[in-house]
Amino acid sequence: MIKMQSGTIFNHMNCIINFLSFSSEVLEAIENVIQDVLESLSKKKAPVLTVTRRSDWRNIEFKDSVGLQMIPYCTTKQIRSDCPRSAPKFALMLKILSMIYKMVQSNTYATKRDIYYSDTQLFGSQSVVDNIINDISCMLKIPRRSLHIGRGIPDLNTRLLVRKLWDTFRIPVFTLMDADPHGVEIMCIYKYGSVSMSFEAHHLTVPSVKWLGLLPSDLKRLNICKDVLIPLTKQDQNKLASIQKRPYIACQPMWKKELEIMAASKMKAEIQALTSLSSDYLSRVYLPNKLQFGGWL
């Protein structure tokens, strides 16, 4: 009993030490950024923050075993405090850095949504907050979860959980989502990662992900009633066209074919469209048949 308790205490102590170690690493990284700002001011120079051009495809490479990842030597851009165009972003980055610093110090957490709603007038939009947080994570070279910030689309914690399950148990991973461009986008992020977080690809992507459904080809194969189908919006069509151009689609000829079917039909469907066949069609027929007969891509 004593041995077991001592072992448990030892494990808890290790967790605490690891947490404190990583917390101090985050705090030190932020302090270094602030120190550079203060040194520039002391020399009467305009402070700048240097961030990687995360959304530039020239800084991204695709590897089938990993997904989208940043190349070692990326082009960067400067967020200047003396430039009218970038000064507001410079100020907002310092604001969010201070919020992160306080959260790490106090071991508290916030979602990106929480940060936006802490001062909506200051930030202007959720996308501004999202972009700055990703820039900060990349600039500090620290995973976003370690900055004490959890959610995205798809949810970052869910991506980490799926990756952990796959790493540990090597279980098959299937995706079931709406047959629309945004559903496909979410699936691609689970499998290949995203451009905005390509610097974390090794921790988040699950290369073995298979597309179980809802497939665009299923809509015709199952003779889904046209009344439950939804026309693609202009935004949908732009999203679909963007996905079709991505490097990983060339490695997935069956996925490419499904996207072509969607583009040609100009229609999308939610998973709930299967209820037009019967209320329990998804659980009673669709999923059992897909899993039994290998109906995934």
Side-chain angles (χ1 to χ4, degrees), residues 22 26 100 103-104 109-112 129-130 132-138 141-157 159-160 194 196-197 199-200 204:
F22 210 91
V26 177
I100 292 170
M103 287 191 294
V104 175
Y109 291 80
T111 65
K112 293 192 291 185
V129 172
D130 296 350
I132 288 176
I133 288 170
N134 285 336
D135 274 341
I136 287 174
S137 179
C138 191
K141 294 182 172 56
I142 291 173
R144 196 178 77 207
R145 61 192 178 276
S146 300
L147 301 179
H148 287 222
I149 303 171
R151 290 191 67 83
I153 301 176
D155 180 89
L156 182 60
N157 286 338
R159 291 178 65 191
L160 287 166
S194 63
S196 64
M197 295 193 68
F199 55 94
E200 281 202 66
L204 294 172

Side-chain angles (χ1 to χ4, degrees), residues 171-224:
I171 57 176
V173 180
F174 300 104
T175 56
L176 176 69
M177 60 265 306
D178 296 335
D180 69 10
H182 292 279
V184 174
E185 171 86 299
I186 290 171
M187 173 179 64
C188 289
I189 291 175
Y190 274 106
K191 185 175 179 71
Y192 296 118
S194 63
V195 172
S196 64
M197 295 193 68
S198 57
F199 55 94
E200 281 202 66
H202 287 280
H203 306 292
L204 294 172
T205 58
V206 183
S208 67
V209 161
K210 303 294 182 185
W211 189 1
L212 187 66
L214 187 62
L215 302 178
S217 60
D218 287 336
L219 306 180
K220 184 176 181 180
R221 179 177 64 84
L222 298 174
N223 197 25
I224 300 294

Side-chain angles (χ1 to χ4, degrees), residues 52-63 66-76 138 141 194-195 197-202:
T52 301
R53 295 183 182 273
R54 294 179 295 102
S55 299
D56 190 336
W57 280 93
R58 291 172 296 180
N59 286 335
I60 309 297
E61 64 179 356
F62 169 67
K63 288 189 176 180
V66 179
L68 300 176
Q69 61 177 0
M70 267 191 178
I71 60 176
Y73 302 100
C74 299
T75 58
T76 59
C138 191
K141 294 182 172 56
S194 63
V195 172
M197 295 193 68
S198 57
F199 55 94
E200 281 202 66
H202 287 280

